[in-house]
Amino acid sequence: MSYRIGSGVDYHQMVEGREFWLGGILVPHHKGALGHSDADVLLHAICDAMLGALALGDIGYHFPDTDNSFKNIDSKILLKRTTALIHDKGYQVVNVDSTLCLQAPKIASFIQPMREIISSHLNIELEDVSIKATTTEKMGFVGREEGVVAYATVLLQKKV
Ligand SMILES: [Zn+2]
């Protein structure tokens, strides 16, 4: 059995008046993440971890922000395309572990629906998707609510 592990990290600025898409969910908040796509930091980190596991480059290479077809795109589409890409290479996702770093808002109640969306897009079980969240104790750009960060680790397995 062949296994591959990958890691991903993503950062987005938080600005007033943007929708805040996180883990495929629209989170009610006065600020949202700034980006060319819907700026879903968690889905981007997971895509990067999946691509990294197979040394396929990064999300910016596959879905460049210079391409207008990706403007404001729903990152669930990018996650689906990344899943298709690794399937084409003969691999499937075993599990995902991730951590979100943000000061506000409180997102505990959104973790479960995020896990449901991500597991369904990756064709894996709910218990194979972990999402943890932390503040930075008000330190740094995350603590000042200027930005949001996500880290993800993904294990892939060669399909038999
Ligand atoms: Zn991103």
Side-chain angles (χ1 to χ4, degrees), residues 11-45:
Y11 300 77
H12 282 274
Q13 225 182 98
M14 292 291 282
V15 296
E16 294 287 344
R18 275 273 295 191
E19 288 186 340
F20 189 24
W21 286 92
L22 194 59
I25 302 276
L26 184 57
V27 174
H29 194 45
H30 62 99
K31 281 181 171 183
L34 185 63
H36 184 71
S37 65
D38 67 5
D40 191 321
V41 70
L42 179 57
L43 298 192
H44 293 178

